[in-house]
Amino acid sequence: MKKLHFLLMALCLNVLAMQAQEKQVFTIDGYVVGDVTDSCYNIYLADEYFKIDESSKPVATVSVVTKRFTYSIPLDKMTAGRIRGISSGGELCSTWIDLFFVPGETVKLMVHKGVYGFDRPYSYRMKINRAVEAIRKETNWQSPHLPKVKGESWKNVTQDEDKSPFYWIVKDVIFNDEETVLQILHIDHLDNMNIGKESYLQDEDGNTYKLKRALMGQVDENNSPDIHIFGGYYAFEPMPKGTKSFSFHNARKYNWEGKEFLDFEVMRDIHKAAKVKKQKPNFDMNVNVSQGIGDSGYLVCLYDRNNGHSRSQIDDIPVKDRTCSFSTYIDKPYLADLFATFPDGSVCTHCVRLPFVPGEHVDVKVMNGGFYLNGSKFYKDWADTDDLIENARKYHTAEETDSILKNYLEEHANDEGCAVCFIQYHALPVEDLEEIIPTSILEGRMKAIVQHLMQLNRMEEKQNEANK
């Protein structure tokens, strides 16, 4: 049995159905720092598509008392809101901050002169990520606020992931005689999403096309919650008909030692992806929840960028009668995480991490603080190896364990499930793993996963050596 993995990076992931739960309170605890003289703060709420109308009236005004202010609101689903200060002279401040308002969460908001900052608790982040995925699915990415753009459209867009920042995505591209429009998204829903006015496109021949305007979104400013969900629409000078691929150069301003610099984040080889035929599922999973555990469902997340840098939620499966199932078509093995969800909408801080392998079936039994895998050959080999590793470490000395593990791996080195289990749980030093496991597995269909896990193992070994 393996213990659940603790979440090491922020994820991606309140389903609309889940949002229909009983109301829970969202709270802002505000702290006014330094010589800021704001007397109170206006609170504005977004519409159902997360757009905040600048002309709308505030739903509340909260006073500052001894550099503190608090605002609470009961919610049955995630929304968005704006916090904007009013100076001691009664004037609206020129700056504000937009936040996701999440049922059951509390955010600590720090107000500095001209700058806002807030904490990002794990539960807050995970509920937001989950809600965004559900909203996109429920609305089919459509909002009445989206601009209507005519022209030839690339609806299925991809890019060179190895040479591009993994936190930016171009979802759609629309070509017409006046301009080329990109629908641009940022993976991190809480990070600043800033498109610079000096941004441009570059085609295969090196020709450049300047940013003209934003149809939906801001330029040189952090974008609002609705843009984080549905994407911003940015128009550039028109590229010629027949363009096959191009790169997007986003101008990013930053300050260093009092001086302003301009840097460019480049998304390369943006092009129309080939149509993918709908395939029958070739991987399936059953999850069995042990008695006494309150899991109400699971988020299914795949590492879809080099099996280590970027993870996306692909499903949100509910538990019924202590079981749930999932099936999909996958073109290659993927590293995956399962996160338990609870009736109050929160997401577990631990995960079940395992490979999804084409042509295989896995049974996952979730225990209190651990899990078992079983199923078809790959997972049966994994389960046997898991038992061996756990029992050797539990009932034998370190020297005996090392010998038992090496002998077992040598005997079963050609079994993918065994080899990958040894690598994922770092059961032996990397040097031994690379010596015993055959090239056919290290360089085979599991290569991307193996390389990523081996890299993590090397980093762990270096850290352990440094700590001696």
Side-chain angles (χ1 to χ4, degrees), residues 291-360:
Q291 290 291 335
I293 295 180
D295 300 1
S296 61
Y298 293 91
L299 305 181
V300 183
C301 310
L302 287 189
Y303 287 95
D304 56 355
R305 180 185 170 85
N306 298 330
N307 291 293
H309 293 91
S310 178
R311 176 180 53 196
S312 60
Q313 178 188 328
I314 62 171
D315 211 343
D316 190 336
I317 52 178
V319 168
K320 184 178 181 180
D321 297 329
R322 314 208 67 78
T323 64
C324 58
S325 61
F326 167 81
S327 64
T328 190
Y329 173 83
I330 47 177
D331 58 343
K332 61 182 179 180
Y334 288 87
L335 198 61
D337 286 344
L338 304 181
F339 289 90
T341 60
F342 305 116
D344 66 353
S346 60
V347 181
C348 187
T349 58
H350 296 68
C351 69
V352 176
R353 184 163 296 158
L354 72 159
F356 282 8
V357 183
E360 302 284 351

Side-chain angles (χ1 to χ4, degrees), residues 165 167-171 180-187 191-201 209-224 227-228 231-236 248-254 262-267 270:
Y167 35 83
W168 288 104
I169 294 174
V170 173
K171 185 177 183 294
T180 300
V181 179
L182 272 61
Q183 181 185 6
I184 304 174
L185 296 136
H186 199 284
I187 288 178
D191 200 3
N192 286 347
M193 179 181 171
N194 193 314
I195 303 296
K197 66 179 180 181
E198 303 296 330
S199 300
Y200 63 89
L201 308 179
Y209 307 87
K210 296 179 181 179
L211 175 66
K212 293 174 61 179
R213 62 187 180 123
L215 282 70
M216 178 176 171
Q218 299 294 322
V219 175
D220 273 343
E221 298 286 347
N222 185 32
N223 272 287
S224 53
I227 307 302
H228 279 267
Y233 286 73
Y234 293 88
F236 297 79
F248 164 55
H249 300 247
N250 181 34
R252 181 176 64 89
K253 288 182 179 180
Y254 66 96
L262 191 65
D263 190 19
F264 285 91
E265 303 165 310
V266 184
M267 297 176 64
I270 300 167

Side-chain angles (χ1 to χ4, degrees), residues 9 65 136 158 173 177 241 254 278 285:
M9 59 181 98
V65 180
R136 289 170 174 173
T158 188
V173 181
D177 294 336
K241 292 181 179 180
Y254 66 96
K278 189 174 182 179
M285 172 182 67

Side-chain angles (χ1 to χ4, degrees), residues 51 54 122 190 228 274 280 339 370:
K51 181 175 176 59
E54 295 183 6
Y122 169 83
L190 290 175
H228 279 267
K280 293 182 179 180
F339 289 90

